[in-house]
């Protein structure tokens, strides 16, 4: 029988930051939740856009063209090729969507391993 994915339940299953967890897939994309805290590394994705939806907390997406501030319920799509750096103000919970297999740093050598939960 089909079952809905409860994002709050999934977020309770882990505590590490900057380690996206896959909760579903659609049309070749990973749907992930992550806990963020503090700044991430500057990076870009050559082949895919980067989708952020803030579930809780406050997040700034820094780009070379200016910053985008996000609050719960707000989303931003970073176009492919744009250098950016997410900065979480306290602990932030997000929903992320990327083409399956996309490294979170834009570089497979430095990317977090994404696991299903």
């Amino acid at each position: 029988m089909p079952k809905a994915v409860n994002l709050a339940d999934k977020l309770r299953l882990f505590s590490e930051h900057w380690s996206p967890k896959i909760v579903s897939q659609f049309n070749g994309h990973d749907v992930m939740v992550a806990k963020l805290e503090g700044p991430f590394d500057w990076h870009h994705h050559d082949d895919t856009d980067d989708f952020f939806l803030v579930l809780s907390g406050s997040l700034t997406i820094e780009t070379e063209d200016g910053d985008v501030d996000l609050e719960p319920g707000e989303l931003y799509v970073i176009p492919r090729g744009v250098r950016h750096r997410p900065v979480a103000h306290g602990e932030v919970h997000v929903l992320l969507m990327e083409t399956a297999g996309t490294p979170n740093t834009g570089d497979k050598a430095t990317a977090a391993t994404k696991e299903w939960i």
Side-chain angles (χ1 to χ4, degrees):
M1 184 142 201
K3 187 176 177 184
V5 175
N6 184 300
L7 299 179
D9 287 348
K10 295 294 187 179
L11 284 158
R12 281 192 281 274
L13 295 175
F14 65 98
S15 60
E16 61 267 31
H17 296 113
W18 302 106
S19 181
K21 308 296 184 199
I22 302 168
V23 297
S24 188
Q25 288 185 320
F26 81 101
N27 294 330
H29 289 73
D30 290 333
V31 178
M32 301 164 285
V33 292
K35 293 181 178 181
L36 316 178
E37 190 168 48
F40 195 61
D41 298 328
W42 280 95
H43 66 285
H44 69 281
H45 305 274
D46 287 328
D47 301 321
T48 187
D49 299 333
D50 213 354
F51 176 101
F52 282 80
L53 170 64
V54 174
L55 303 172
S56 69
S58 171
L59 180 69
T60 299
I61 305 289
E62 296 179 346
T63 76
E64 293 174 334
D65 295 327
D67 299 347
V68 178
D69 295 317
L70 301 171
E71 297 296 328
E74 295 182 320
L75 69 87
Y76 183 67
V77 177
I78 302 153
R80 69 190 72 203
V82 172
R83 279 182 42 83
H84 61 282
R85 178 175 84 147
V87 178
H89 309 289
E91 185 169 270
V92 177
H93 297 173
V94 295
L95 178 82
L96 307 169
M97 287 190 266
E98 296 175 333
T99 304
T102 298
N104 68 326
T105 61
D107 179 357
K108 288 183 182 184
T110 60
T113 301
K114 296 177 189 172
E115 64 180 324
W116 278 85
I117 58 170

